[in-house]
Amino acid sequence: MHDTHATAGAALETKVAASLDLLHRLALDHGPRRVAVAWSGGKDSTAALALWRAALAQTHPGVRPLALSLDTHLKFPEVLAFRDALARDWGVELHVAAPDPDEGLPGPADKAACCTARKIEPLRAGIARLGLAVLATGLRGDEHASRADRPLLEPRTDPYHLQANPLLAWTELDVWAYTLDAGLPYCPLYDAGYASLGCVPCTLLPDDGERSGRHPDKEALLEQLHSLGYF
């Protein structure tokens, strides 16, 4: 297993090889039906999905990749349209987890309650419904201080599964370089100036780096949300 800190400053080719090695091992250890990619339609999770497809093509040729996507009912329609079109083009078995809109969902004024009801609870239910052993994310260690020291494989509970972070050592520039070099599609909102795509009320046009495009109240809650079950 590759050490995250050892590959953090490495060339992109080395990081891609390390990520693929991790995903190969997960495919062989758990089987393709018990591993899914947490796919938002953003650039990072799309890169993770592309790597998972490449890993499966070597370990389980012909098997469709699984993806679990959250629909909070507050997503950009452009992101959802991109996700659904690419799922068809790539042959992805897409499973959407969403809260019941009739349950009186909290709004973004209360960020913690909103994320719990619209993200964490549907995510838990989706993992349990699919019987997943592993959920692979597009999480990067350079995104936020609370993510810098995460492990490549992180045991999570409720329900128990492993959270795999194959892009942990990657930077934002790495993701864009890989996306462009591999010719991966990406949501057109990036070309409109957005750098980090979340729910509409919590996504801003950035003024100082990638994460300045996220609402500061939401950023301050990331560690708390992680303890509750989010990435």
Side-chain angles (χ1 to χ4, degrees), residues 165-212:
N165 302 313
L167 303 189
L168 199 63
W170 292 40
T171 65
E172 180 188 11
L173 183 59
D174 289 331
V175 172
W176 278 119
Y178 177 72
T179 296
L180 297 176
D181 288 349
L184 303 183
Y186 59 87
C187 179
L189 286 176
Y190 290 115
D191 288 335
Y194 289 93
S196 182
L197 301 176
C199 293
V200 174
C202 292
T203 302
L204 312 169
L205 284 169
D207 56 15
D208 184 25
E210 181 186 22
R211 294 305 288 193
S212 68

Side-chain angles (χ1 to χ4, degrees), residues 128-149:
R129 183 175 71 252
L130 294 174
L132 297 179
V134 181
L135 186 67
T137 78
L139 182 149
R140 302 188 336 262
D142 73 332
E143 288 180 282
H144 192 273
S146 69
R147 293 176 169 175
D149 294 321

Side-chain angles (χ1 to χ4, degrees), residues 45-183:
S45 60
T46 297
L49 181 60
L51 290 165
W52 178 235
R53 290 178 75 230
L56 281 184
Q58 294 183 355
T59 62
H60 297 81
V63 175
R64 297 173 65 195
L66 294 179
L68 179 60
S69 186
L70 293 174
D71 184 353
T72 62
H73 305 306
L74 294 174
K75 295 285 189 178
F76 285 93
E78 295 91 338
V79 174
L80 299 181
F82 167 77
R83 180 202 66 189
D84 292 346
L86 190 56
R88 291 191 296 270
D89 291 345
W90 280 6
V92 174
E93 185 177 322
L94 177 63
H95 295 266
V96 177
D100 185 346
D102 296 328
E103 290 184 354
L105 296 171
D110 186 339
K111 298 280 188 295
C114 187
C115 285
T116 297
R118 295 175 184 268
K119 291 183 175 181
I120 295 169
E121 292 174 359
L123 179 65
R124 288 172 173 166
I127 293 168
R129 183 175 71 252
L130 294 174
L132 297 179
V134 181
L135 186 67
T137 78
L139 182 149
R140 302 188 336 262
D142 73 332
E143 288 180 282
H144 192 273
S146 69
R147 293 176 169 175
D149 294 321
R150 299 278 184 85
L152 285 171
L153 291 176
E154 187 174 3
R156 307 303 304 269
T157 57
D158 194 21
Y160 180 82
H161 64 285
L162 290 175
Q163 178 181 312
N165 302 313
L167 303 189
L168 199 63
W170 292 40
T171 65
E172 180 188 11
L173 183 59
D174 289 331
V175 172
W176 278 119
Y178 177 72
T179 296
L180 297 176
D181 288 349

